[in-house]
Amino acid sequence: MIENPFDAPIPGQSLTNTPGNYPWEHSPEYTDVEQASEYVWDKMHEKNLLEQIITFLENDIPVEAIARMVLFSGFTEGKWNPDVAILLSEIVFKQIMAIGVKAEIPSMKVFMGDQGNSKFRKSFAKFKVEKEDANKSSTTENKAEKFAEEIKAELESKESSGLMKKETE
């Protein structure tokens, strides 16, 4: 793909926009960390969002990544400013951990540095390539579905590893 070097904003263009066009350019809705944490807790317990968080945790998305996503989206929606987000980060992290514990997720990734499962990432990348090829050809579609089932079976057959793993003798 060839990029056009002239297809970019003019330097200083953002300085000519009318101020106040974005939610984060206004006063935040929450300036108190306690009120903001209650808002996040209530929001995370809405059915759709709760299901998404549990799905993320089950699929080895780290708690830290989910917390960052929640905090950044709150900032972009104008719910809080960056200072409140920093103060809120530990609370949101613990709230997401509590959801994972309550959902009984066996091997929950906590930090983004815990992503040591390179075999899964390679398998997923291979699956993605085959799925893109499947869009080009209907005969490849069955192959991509078969590959997805193989990955699913492989992941289900793996033993969980972590601090809470039962030892087998």
Side-chain angles (χ1 to χ4, degrees):
M1 180 178 186
I2 300 173
E3 282 191 35
N4 183 353
F6 299 109
D7 189 22
I10 299 168
Q13 181 177 347
S14 65
L15 301 174
T16 63
N17 291 342
T18 307
N21 286 339
Y22 302 102
W24 60 83
E25 292 179 340
H26 300 286
S27 298
E29 189 174 332
Y30 298 101
T31 56
D32 182 45
V33 175
E34 187 175 326
Q35 290 176 349
S37 67
E38 288 174 9
Y39 167 78
V40 171
W41 183 253
D42 292 340
K43 192 76 171 167
M44 283 194 302
H45 280 79
E46 291 177 0
K47 186 179 183 205
N48 290 337
L49 196 54
L50 187 61
E51 289 174 359
Q52 287 177 355
I53 290 171
I54 292 171
T55 302
F56 285 154
L57 292 172
E58 288 174 340
N59 290 300
D60 293 335
I61 304 295
V63 174
E64 179 185 4
I66 300 169
R68 287 180 179 207
M69 183 174 54
V70 168
L71 294 168
F72 185 72
S73 66
F75 166 71
T76 60
E77 293 172 3
K79 299 295 181 188
W80 45 75
N81 61 20
D83 298 329
V84 173
I86 289 171
L87 295 172
L88 195 58
S89 61
E90 183 179 353
I91 298 167
V92 172
F93 188 89
K94 289 178 180 179
Q95 289 174 345
I96 295 169
M97 286 287 294
I99 289 171
V101 169
K102 187 68 176 174
E104 298 177 354
I105 296 173
S107 59
M108 191 172 15
K109 300 275 189 222
V110 179
F111 297 106
M112 292 180 1
D114 293 346
Q115 297 295 315
N117 194 353
S118 62
K119 184 177 179 183
F120 172 75
R121 285 190 291 226
K122 289 177 185 175
S123 296
F124 187 74
K126 185 176 176 184
F127 169 72
K128 186 175 179 183
V129 167
E130 287 195 15
K131 188 165 181 158
E132 288 173 357
D133 290 342
N135 292 337
K136 296 176 185 173
S137 167
S138 61
T139 58
T140 319
E141 186 172 330
N142 293 334
K143 189 176 178 183
E145 288 177 8
K146 181 181 175 187
F147 186 72
E149 291 299 322
E150 290 174 7
I151 290 175
K152 184 177 178 183
E154 182 182 328
L155 291 174
E156 289 174 353
S157 68
K158 285 189 177 185
E159 292 183 10
S160 65
S161 60
L163 295 175
M164 302 303 289
K165 177 184 173 189
K166 285 186 177 181
E167 291 187 25
T168 56
E169 295 180 302

Short mmCIF file of all heavy atoms in Angstrom, two decimals, residues 2-51:
data_model
loop_
_atom_site.label_atom_id
_atom_site.label_comp_id
_atom_site.label_asym_id
_atom_site.label_seq_id
_atom_site.Cartn_x
_atom_site.Cartn_y
_atom_site.Cartn_z
N ILE A 2 0.65 2.10 -0.93
CA ILE A 2 1.44 3.33 -1.07
C ILE A 2 0.69 4.46 -0.35
O ILE A 2 -0.48 4.70 -0.60
CB ILE A 2 1.65 3.69 -2.55
CG1 ILE A 2 2.40 2.55 -3.24
CG2 ILE A 2 2.40 4.99 -2.68
CD1 ILE A 2 2.52 2.73 -4.73
N GLU A 3 1.42 5.11 0.54
CA GLU A 3 0.82 6.23 1.26
C GLU A 3 1.12 7.54 0.56
O GLU A 3 2.23 7.75 0.07
CB GLU A 3 1.35 6.29 2.69
CG GLU A 3 0.72 5.28 3.60
CD GLU A 3 1.07 5.54 5.05
OE1 GLU A 3 1.20 6.73 5.44
OE2 GLU A 3 1.22 4.57 5.78
N ASN A 4 0.15 8.41 0.55
CA ASN A 4 0.31 9.73 -0.04
C ASN A 4 0.89 10.65 1.04
O ASN A 4 0.26 10.88 2.07
CB ASN A 4 -1.03 10.26 -0.54
CG ASN A 4 -0.91 11.59 -1.23
OD1 ASN A 4 0.16 12.21 -1.24
ND2 ASN A 4 -2.01 12.04 -1.80
N PRO A 5 2.09 11.19 0.84
CA PRO A 5 2.68 12.04 1.88
C PRO A 5 1.91 13.34 2.10
O PRO A 5 2.06 13.99 3.13
CB PRO A 5 4.09 12.31 1.37
CG PRO A 5 4.02 12.11 -0.10
CD PRO A 5 2.95 11.07 -0.32
N PHE A 6 1.05 13.70 1.13
CA PHE A 6 0.30 14.94 1.26
C PHE A 6 -1.07 14.72 1.90
O PHE A 6 -1.84 15.65 2.07
CB PHE A 6 0.14 15.60 -0.11
CG PHE A 6 1.47 15.97 -0.73
CD1 PHE A 6 1.94 15.26 -1.82
CD2 PHE A 6 2.23 16.98 -0.20
CE1 PHE A 6 3.17 15.58 -2.38
CE2 PHE A 6 3.46 17.31 -0.76
CZ PHE A 6 3.93 16.61 -1.85
N ASP A 7 -1.38 13.46 2.22
CA ASP A 7 -2.66 13.13 2.84
C ASP A 7 -2.50 13.15 4.36
O ASP A 7 -2.58 12.14 5.04
CB ASP A 7 -3.14 11.75 2.37
CG ASP A 7 -4.54 11.46 2.81
OD1 ASP A 7 -5.29 12.41 3.09
OD2 ASP A 7 -4.90 10.27 2.89
N ALA A 8 -2.24 14.31 4.89
CA ALA A 8 -2.01 14.50 6.32
C ALA A 8 -2.51 15.87 6.71
O ALA A 8 -2.62 16.77 5.88
CB ALA A 8 -0.52 14.37 6.63
N PRO A 9 -2.82 16.04 8.00
CA PRO A 9 -3.25 17.38 8.43
C PRO A 9 -2.12 18.40 8.29
O PRO A 9 -0.95 18.06 8.41
CB PRO A 9 -3.65 17.20 9.89
CG PRO A 9 -3.23 15.84 10.29
CD PRO A 9 -2.85 15.08 9.07
N ILE A 10 -2.49 19.61 8.08
CA ILE A 10 -1.53 20.69 7.99
C ILE A 10 -1.01 20.98 9.40
O ILE A 10 -1.79 21.02 10.35
CB ILE A 10 -2.19 21.96 7.40
CG1 ILE A 10 -2.70 21.66 6.00
CG2 ILE A 10 -1.23 23.14 7.40
CD1 ILE A 10 -3.62 22.72 5.45
N PRO A 11 0.30 21.16 9.58
CA PRO A 11 0.82 21.46 10.91
C PRO A 11 0.11 22.68 11.53
O PRO A 11 -0.02 23.72 10.90
CB PRO A 11 2.30 21.75 10.67
CG PRO A 11 2.61 21.01 9.42
CD PRO A 11 1.35 21.07 8.60
N GLY A 12 -0.38 22.50 12.74
CA GLY A 12 -1.08 23.58 13.44
C GLY A 12 -2.57 23.62 13.15
O GLY A 12 -3.28 24.48 13.68
N GLN A 13 -3.06 22.72 12.33
CA GLN A 13 -4.48 22.72 11.97
C GLN A 13 -5.37 22.54 13.20
O GLN A 13 -6.43 23.16 13.29
CB GLN A 13 -4.75 21.61 10.96
CG GLN A 13 -6.19 21.54 10.50
CD GLN A 13 -6.40 20.46 9.44
OE1 GLN A 13 -5.46 19.94 8.87
NE2 GLN A 13 -7.64 20.14 9.19
N SER A 14 -4.94 21.72 14.15
CA SER A 14 -5.76 21.50 15.33
C SER A 14 -5.92 22.77 16.17
O SER A 14 -6.88 22.91 16.92
CB SER A 14 -5.16 20.39 16.20
OG SER A 14 -3.91 20.81 16.70
N LEU A 15 -4.98 23.70 16.02
CA LEU A 15 -5.05 24.95 16.78
C LEU A 15 -6.09 25.91 16.21
O LEU A 15 -6.45 26.89 16.85
CB LEU A 15 -3.67 25.62 16.82
CG LEU A 15 -2.56 24.79 17.44
CD1 LEU A 15 -1.22 25.49 17.29
CD2 LEU A 15 -2.87 24.48 18.89
N THR A 16 -6.57 25.64 15.00
CA THR A 16 -7.56 26.52 14.38
C THR A 16 -8.99 26.02 14.57
O THR A 16 -9.94 26.70 14.21
CB THR A 16 -7.29 26.67 12.87
OG1 THR A 16 -7.42 25.39 12.24
CG2 THR A 16 -5.91 27.24 12.63
N ASN A 17 -9.14 24.79 15.12
CA ASN A 17 -10.48 24.26 15.37
C ASN A 17 -11.16 25.05 16.49
O ASN A 17 -10.51 25.59 17.38
CB ASN A 17 -10.42 22.78 15.76
CG ASN A 17 -9.99 21.91 14.61
OD1 ASN A 17 -10.05 22.31 13.45
ND2 ASN A 17 -9.57 20.69 14.94
N THR A 18 -12.46 25.08 16.47
CA THR A 18 -13.23 25.75 17.52
C THR A 18 -13.07 24.99 18.83
O THR A 18 -13.30 23.77 18.87
CB THR A 18 -14.72 25.80 17.15
OG1 THR A 18 -14.84 26.38 15.84
CG2 THR A 18 -15.51 26.59 18.16
N PRO A 19 -12.66 25.64 19.91
CA PRO A 19 -12.52 24.95 21.20
C PRO A 19 -13.87 24.44 21.70
O PRO A 19 -14.91 25.04 21.46
CB PRO A 19 -11.98 26.03 22.13
CG PRO A 19 -11.47 27.12 21.26
CD PRO A 19 -12.25 27.04 19.99
N GLY A 20 -13.82 23.31 22.39
CA GLY A 20 -15.03 22.77 22.99
C GLY A 20 -15.80 21.81 22.10
O GLY A 20 -16.95 21.50 22.38
N ASN A 21 -15.17 21.33 21.03
CA ASN A 21 -15.84 20.39 20.15
C ASN A 21 -15.87 18.97 20.70
O ASN A 21 -16.67 18.16 20.27
CB ASN A 21 -15.15 20.36 18.77
CG ASN A 21 -15.46 21.59 17.95
OD1 ASN A 21 -16.44 22.27 18.20
ND2 ASN A 21 -14.60 21.86 16.99
N TYR A 22 -15.01 18.66 21.63
CA TYR A 22 -14.89 17.30 22.14
C TYR A 22 -15.27 17.25 23.62
O TYR A 22 -15.09 18.21 24.35
CB TYR A 22 -13.44 16.81 21.97
CG TYR A 22 -13.01 16.84 20.52
CD1 TYR A 22 -12.19 17.86 20.05
CD2 TYR A 22 -13.44 15.87 19.63
CE1 TYR A 22 -11.79 17.90 18.73
CE2 TYR A 22 -13.06 15.90 18.30
CZ TYR A 22 -12.23 16.91 17.85
OH TYR A 22 -11.85 16.95 16.54
N PRO A 23 -15.78 16.08 24.09
CA PRO A 23 -16.20 15.98 25.49
C PRO A 23 -15.08 16.24 26.49
O PRO A 23 -15.31 16.79 27.56
CB PRO A 23 -16.68 14.52 25.61
CG PRO A 23 -17.01 14.10 24.24
CD PRO A 23 -16.10 14.87 23.33
N TRP A 24 -13.83 15.85 26.15
CA TRP A 24 -12.74 16.05 27.10
C TRP A 24 -12.28 17.49 27.18
O TRP A 24 -11.46 17.84 28.01
CB TRP A 24 -11.56 15.13 26.76
CG TRP A 24 -10.97 15.34 25.41
CD1 TRP A 24 -10.05 16.28 25.04
CD2 TRP A 24 -11.27 14.60 24.23
NE1 TRP A 24 -9.76 16.17 23.71
CE2 TRP A 24 -10.50 15.14 23.18
CE3 TRP A 24 -12.12 13.55 23.93
CZ2 TRP A 24 -10.54 14.65 21.88
CZ3 TRP A 24 -12.16 13.07 22.65
CH2 TRP A 24 -11.39 13.61 21.64
N GLU A 25 -12.83 18.36 26.35
CA GLU A 25 -12.48 19.78 26.40
C GLU A 25 -13.40 20.55 27.35
O GLU A 25 -13.24 21.75 27.53
CB GLU A 25 -12.53 20.39 25.00
CG GLU A 25 -11.45 19.87 24.09
CD GLU A 25 -11.53 20.47 22.69
OE1 GLU A 25 -12.58 21.00 22.31
OE2 GLU A 25 -10.52 20.40 21.99
N HIS A 26 -14.39 19.87 27.93
CA HIS A 26 -15.31 20.49 28.88
C HIS A 26 -14.97 20.02 30.29
O HIS A 26 -14.14 19.14 30.48
CB HIS A 26 -16.76 20.10 28.55
CG HIS A 26 -17.18 20.53 27.18
ND1 HIS A 26 -17.47 21.83 26.85
CD2 HIS A 26 -17.35 19.82 26.04
CE1 HIS A 26 -17.81 21.91 25.59
NE2 HIS A 26 -17.74 20.70 25.06
N SER A 27 -15.65 20.58 31.26
CA SER A 27 -15.46 20.14 32.64
C SER A 27 -15.90 18.68 32.76
O SER A 27 -16.91 18.29 32.19
CB SER A 27 -16.29 20.99 33.60
OG SER A 27 -15.86 22.33 33.53
N PRO A 28 -15.13 17.87 33.51
CA PRO A 28 -15.50 16.46 33.63
C PRO A 28 -16.78 16.29 34.45
O PRO A 28 -17.10 17.11 35.31
CB PRO A 28 -14.30 15.83 34.34
CG PRO A 28 -13.64 16.95 35.04
CD PRO A 28 -13.91 18.19 34.23
N GLU A 29 -17.48 15.20 34.18
CA GLU A 29 -18.71 14.91 34.91
C GLU A 29 -18.40 14.51 36.35
O GLU A 29 -19.15 14.84 37.27
CB GLU A 29 -19.45 13.76 34.20
CG GLU A 29 -20.83 13.50 34.73
CD GLU A 29 -21.57 12.47 33.90
OE1 GLU A 29 -21.31 12.35 32.69
OE2 GLU A 29 -22.44 11.78 34.48
N TYR A 30 -17.30 13.79 36.57
CA TYR A 30 -16.92 13.35 37.91
C TYR A 30 -15.56 13.92 38.27
O TYR A 30 -14.58 13.75 37.54
CB TYR A 30 -16.86 11.82 37.98
CG TYR A 30 -18.18 11.15 37.72
CD1 TYR A 30 -18.44 10.58 36.48
CD2 TYR A 30 -19.16 11.10 38.69
CE1 TYR A 30 -19.66 9.98 36.22
CE2 TYR A 30 -20.38 10.50 38.44
CZ TYR A 30 -20.62 9.94 37.20
OH TYR A 30 -21.84 9.36 36.96
N THR A 31 -15.51 14.60 39.41
CA THR A 31 -14.23 15.09 39.92
C THR A 31 -13.86 14.39 41.21
O THR A 31 -12.74 14.50 41.68
CB THR A 31 -14.29 16.61 40.17
OG1 THR A 31 -15.37 16.90 41.05
CG2 THR A 31 -14.46 17.36 38.86
N ASP A 32 -14.81 13.67 41.79
CA ASP A 32 -14.58 12.92 43.02
C ASP A 32 -14.31 11.46 42.65
O ASP A 32 -15.09 10.84 41.93
CB ASP A 32 -15.81 13.02 43.93
CG ASP A 32 -15.63 12.30 45.24
OD1 ASP A 32 -14.56 12.45 45.85
OD2 ASP A 32 -16.56 11.57 45.64
N VAL A 33 -13.21 10.91 43.15
CA VAL A 33 -12.81 9.55 42.81
C VAL A 33 -13.87 8.54 43.28
O VAL A 33 -14.16 7.58 42.57
CB VAL A 33 -11.43 9.22 43.41
CG1 VAL A 33 -11.04 7.79 43.17
CG2 VAL A 33 -10.38 10.15 42.85
N GLU A 34 -14.44 8.76 44.45
CA GLU A 34 -15.44 7.83 44.98
C GLU A 34 -16.68 7.78 44.09
O GLU A 34 -17.18 6.71 43.77
CB GLU A 34 -15.83 8.23 46.41
CG GLU A 34 -16.74 7.21 47.08
CD GLU A 34 -17.01 7.57 48.53
OE1 GLU A 34 -16.11 8.11 49.19
OE2 GLU A 34 -18.13 7.28 48.98
N GLN A 35 -17.15 8.95 43.67
CA GLN A 35 -18.32 8.97 42.78
C GLN A 35 -17.99 8.33 41.43
O GLN A 35 -18.81 7.60 40.87
CB GLN A 35 -18.79 10.41 42.56
CG GLN A 35 -19.42 11.05 43.78
CD GLN A 35 -19.79 12.50 43.53
OE1 GLN A 35 -19.38 13.10 42.54
NE2 GLN A 35 -20.54 13.07 44.46
N ALA A 36 -16.81 8.59 40.93
CA ALA A 36 -16.40 8.00 39.65
C ALA A 36 -16.29 6.48 39.76
O ALA A 36 -16.71 5.76 38.86
CB ALA A 36 -15.07 8.59 39.20
N SER A 37 -15.77 5.99 40.88
CA SER A 37 -15.64 4.54 41.06
C SER A 37 -17.01 3.88 41.16
O SER A 37 -17.22 2.77 40.66
CB SER A 37 -14.79 4.20 42.28
OG SER A 37 -15.44 4.59 43.48
N GLU A 38 -17.97 4.56 41.79
CA GLU A 38 -19.34 4.02 41.86
C GLU A 38 -19.97 3.99 40.46
O GLU A 38 -20.66 3.03 40.11
CB GLU A 38 -20.19 4.86 42.81
CG GLU A 38 -19.82 4.66 44.27
CD GLU A 38 -20.58 5.60 45.20
OE1 GLU A 38 -21.50 6.30 44.75
OE2 GLU A 38 -20.22 5.63 46.40
N TYR A 39 -19.70 5.01 39.67
CA TYR A 39 -20.20 5.04 38.29
C TYR A 39 -19.63 3.87 37.49
O TYR A 39 -20.35 3.16 36.79
CB TYR A 39 -19.84 6.36 37.62
CG TYR A 39 -20.04 6.35 36.13
CD1 TYR A 39 -21.31 6.48 35.57
CD2 TYR A 39 -18.96 6.16 35.27
CE1 TYR A 39 -21.49 6.44 34.19
CE2 TYR A 39 -19.14 6.12 33.89
CZ TYR A 39 -20.40 6.26 33.37
OH TYR A 39 -20.59 6.21 32.01
N VAL A 40 -18.30 3.65 37.61
CA VAL A 40 -17.65 2.56 36.88
C VAL A 40 -18.21 1.22 37.33
O VAL A 40 -18.52 0.35 36.51
CB VAL A 40 -16.11 2.60 37.06
CG1 VAL A 40 -15.46 1.36 36.50
CG2 VAL A 40 -15.54 3.84 36.42
N TRP A 41 -18.38 1.03 38.63
CA TRP A 41 -18.91 -0.23 39.17
C TRP A 41 -20.30 -0.50 38.62
O TRP A 41 -20.60 -1.62 38.19
CB TRP A 41 -18.91 -0.17 40.69
CG TRP A 41 -19.36 -1.45 41.33
CD1 TRP A 41 -20.55 -1.68 41.95
CD2 TRP A 41 -18.62 -2.67 41.43
NE1 TRP A 41 -20.59 -2.96 42.42
CE2 TRP A 41 -19.41 -3.59 42.11
CE3 TRP A 41 -17.36 -3.07 40.99
CZ2 TRP A 41 -19.00 -4.91 42.39
CZ3 TRP A 41 -16.94 -4.36 41.26
CH2 TRP A 41 -17.76 -5.26 41.94
N ASP A 42 -21.15 0.52 38.64
CA ASP A 42 -22.51 0.36 38.11
C ASP A 42 -22.49 0.08 36.61
O ASP A 42 -23.23 -0.77 36.12
CB ASP A 42 -23.36 1.60 38.39
CG ASP A 42 -23.65 1.78 39.88
OD1 ASP A 42 -23.55 0.79 40.64
OD2 ASP A 42 -23.97 2.91 40.28
N LYS A 43 -21.63 0.79 35.89
CA LYS A 43 -21.55 0.63 34.44
C LYS A 43 -21.04 -0.77 34.08
O LYS A 43 -21.55 -1.41 33.16
CB LYS A 43 -20.61 1.71 33.87
CG LYS A 43 -20.66 1.84 32.39
CD LYS A 43 -21.91 2.56 31.97
CE LYS A 43 -21.86 2.88 30.51
NZ LYS A 43 -23.12 3.29 29.97
N MET A 44 -20.04 -1.26 34.81
CA MET A 44 -19.48 -2.58 34.53
C MET A 44 -20.46 -3.71 34.85
O MET A 44 -20.29 -4.82 34.37
CB MET A 44 -18.17 -2.81 35.29
CG MET A 44 -17.01 -2.08 34.68
SD MET A 44 -15.38 -2.61 35.26
CE MET A 44 -15.47 -2.34 37.00
N HIS A 45 -21.46 -3.43 35.64
CA HIS A 45 -22.44 -4.46 35.99
C HIS A 45 -23.69 -4.42 35.13
O HIS A 45 -24.65 -5.13 35.40
CB HIS A 45 -22.78 -4.38 37.48
CG HIS A 45 -21.73 -5.04 38.32
ND1 HIS A 45 -20.55 -4.40 38.62
CD2 HIS A 45 -21.65 -6.27 38.86
CE1 HIS A 45 -19.81 -5.22 39.35
NE2 HIS A 45 -20.44 -6.35 39.49
N GLU A 46 -23.68 -3.59 34.08
CA GLU A 46 -24.75 -3.69 33.09
C GLU A 46 -24.51 -4.99 32.33
O GLU A 46 -23.38 -5.39 32.09
CB GLU A 46 -24.71 -2.50 32.13
CG GLU A 46 -25.09 -1.20 32.79
CD GLU A 46 -24.98 0.00 31.86
OE1 GLU A 46 -24.60 -0.17 30.68
OE2 GLU A 46 -25.25 1.11 32.33
N LYS A 47 -25.60 -5.66 31.96
CA LYS A 47 -25.52 -7.01 31.42
C LYS A 47 -24.52 -7.14 30.27
O LYS A 47 -23.66 -8.02 30.28
CB LYS A 47 -26.90 -7.49 30.98
CG LYS A 47 -26.92 -8.92 30.54
CD LYS A 47 -28.28 -9.40 30.14
CE LYS A 47 -28.19 -10.87 29.80
NZ LYS A 47 -29.15 -11.36 28.93
N ASN A 48 -24.64 -6.30 29.26
CA ASN A 48 -23.77 -6.42 28.09
C ASN A 48 -22.31 -6.22 28.43
O ASN A 48 -21.44 -6.96 27.99
CB ASN A 48 -24.18 -5.43 27.00
CG ASN A 48 -25.49 -5.79 26.37
OD1 ASN A 48 -25.92 -6.94 26.39
ND2 ASN A 48 -26.16 -4.81 25.79
N LEU A 49 -22.02 -5.19 29.22
CA LEU A 49 -20.64 -4.89 29.56
C LEU A 49 -20.04 -5.97 30.47
O LEU A 49 -18.88 -6.35 30.31
CB LEU A 49 -20.53 -3.51 30.22
CG LEU A 49 -19.15 -2.90 30.28
CD1 LEU A 49 -18.51 -2.84 28.90
CD2 LEU A 49 -19.21 -1.51 30.86
N LEU A 50 -20.84 -6.49 31.39
CA LEU A 50 -20.37 -7.55 32.28
C LEU A 50 -20.01 -8.79 31.47
O LEU A 50 -18.96 -9.41 31.70
CB LEU A 50 -21.44 -7.86 33.33
CG LEU A 50 -21.04 -8.84 34.42
CD1 LEU A 50 -19.88 -8.29 35.23
CD2 LEU A 50 -22.23 -9.10 35.33
N GLU A 51 -20.85 -9.15 30.51
CA GLU A 51 -20.57 -10.30 29.65
C GLU A 51 -19.28 -10.08 28.85
O GLU A 51 -18.48 -10.99 28.69
CB GLU A 51 -21.74 -10.57 28.71
CG GLU A 51 -22.96 -11.12 29.39
CD GLU A 51 -24.17 -11.24 28.46
OE1 GLU A 51 -24.07 -10.87 27.27
OE2 GLU A 51 -25.21 -11.71 28.93
#
